[in-house]
Amino acid sequence: MRRRLRSTCKWGGTVLTVLLFVVWVGSAWWWYNFIPRSASYAMAIERGTLAVEWVTPAPTLPDRYLGWHTGWSRPFRLMWWFRGESGTVVRGGTATEVVVPLWFGAMIFGLPTIILWYRDRRRAPGLCIKCGYDLRGADHKVCPECGATPLPSRTTS
Ligand SMILES: [Zn+2]
């Protein structure tokens, strides 16, 4: 059960990291934004960042601004760092904007994933190569924990 969870985290983390990396690099050329029907916030993925903006009171926007939009980013420019801004007057309301660089998101998922992969690669002698179960002290033909076979030759010491 624990092993399954660990494997899920490892693969889930890998998929998320790769996805975030692709979105990060892709967002240098291609932007997306989203505004819900209530227009209480706006979200954009552009130039290597995720930007969220809240405007209070929520403005009334024409329908064509609502929902998803996408297009080419021009000129090519990546933004690398966090940004926060508050108090700007936009469309008759006060705006608060938070910008998070996407490489940071990729790192948040990527670092623990790399650690999980790395730790699974290193097994001390006498432990099952597949699951790390301690095989010393008895003559096992297969690992009693996960059934892995054949056992590593360095098991006996
Ligand atoms: Zn095992």
Side-chain angles (χ1 to χ4, degrees):
M1 215 49 181
R2 247 183 89 85
R3 222 188 89 68
R4 242 189 104 160
L5 180 71
R6 190 189 172 90
S7 179
T8 307
C9 287
K10 225 166 70 173
W11 284 103
T14 305
V15 169
L16 259 171
T17 305
V18 170
L19 203 75
L20 275 166
F21 188 80
V22 169
V23 170
W24 172 36
V25 174
S27 71
W29 289 276
W30 198 250
W31 58 262
Y32 302 85
N33 79 21
F34 175 76
I35 303 179
R37 192 136 282 280
S38 67
S40 52
Y41 69 90
M43 201 192 80
I45 292 173
E46 55 179 354
R47 293 175 178 151
T49 67
L50 169 70
V52 186
E53 183 189 66
W54 296 266
V55 179
T56 44
T60 312
L61 295 176
D63 275 1
R64 68 176 186 278
Y65 289 118
L66 304 177
W68 284 97
H69 288 85
T70 185
W72 290 105
S73 286
R74 255 174 302 206
F76 174 88
R77 191 159 64 93
L78 268 181
M79 291 187 288
W80 290 92
W81 204 236
F82 296 86
R83 215 175 63 232
E85 219 174 307
S86 186
T88 329
V89 175
V90 180
R91 298 180 293 269
T94 309
T96 302
E97 191 188 33
V98 175
V99 177
V100 178
L102 289 169
W103 63 259
F104 183 77
M107 204 186 70
I108 287 282
F109 290 100
L111 280 183
T113 305
I114 287 168
I115 290 168
L116 279 179
W117 279 105
Y118 181 73
R119 278 172 50 173
D120 278 9
R121 285 209 150 256
R122 293 174 44 134
R123 293 283 187 215
L127 305 185
C128 171
I129 267 189
K130 205 171 163 202
C131 72
Y133 183 80
D134 192 344
L135 299 167
R136 287 166 298 187
D139 187 22
H140 297 293
K141 292 265 189 302
V142 295
C143 170
E145 184 70 13
C146 72
T149 180
L151 294 176
S153 54
R154 61 182 178 198
T155 301
T156 48
S157 58

